[in-house]
Amino acid sequence: MAGIFGEKPAKGFFAECWDDPALQIVIKKLLAKYPQWGVVIVSGVLVENNSLRQAQR
């Protein structure tokens, strides 16, 4: 739903869904489409990218 509206969901929402392999694919695609959300995947772990947020200010 967040992808449709372009709203930034909380990292916790993604973390709750991360155990499902099918949802991991969807989450990866959403994060690639919306880098401004500031959430990245590093070595299979969801990480908030605070440096991106600071650069936008």
Side-chain angles (χ1 to χ4, degrees), residues 2 11 13 15 17 22 25 27-28 32-35 38 41 43 51 56:
K11 178 187 157 215
F13 173 75
C17 303
I25 294 168
I27 292 168
K28 287 177 184 179
K33 187 172 182 175
Y34 297 101
I41 302 167
S43 299
S51 62
Q56 291 178 344

Side-chain angles (χ1 to χ4, degrees), residues 8-17 39-40 45-48 53:
K8 181 188 183 239
K11 178 187 157 215
F13 173 75
F14 291 135
E16 288 177 25
C17 303
V39 179
V40 295
V45 178
L46 291 166
V47 177
E48 278 198 76
R53 287 188 190 166

Side-chain angles (χ1 to χ4, degrees), residues 1-41:
M1 220 37 198
I4 294 170
F5 299 108
E7 297 172 4
K8 181 188 183 239
K11 178 187 157 215
F13 173 75
F14 291 135
E16 288 177 25
C17 303
W18 193 246
D19 292 334
D20 185 332
L23 288 177
Q24 281 184 8
I25 294 168
V26 174
I27 292 168
K28 287 177 184 179
K29 289 181 180 184
L30 279 171
L31 295 179
K33 187 172 182 175
Y34 297 101
Q36 67 269 26
W37 287 349
V39 179
V40 295
I41 302 167

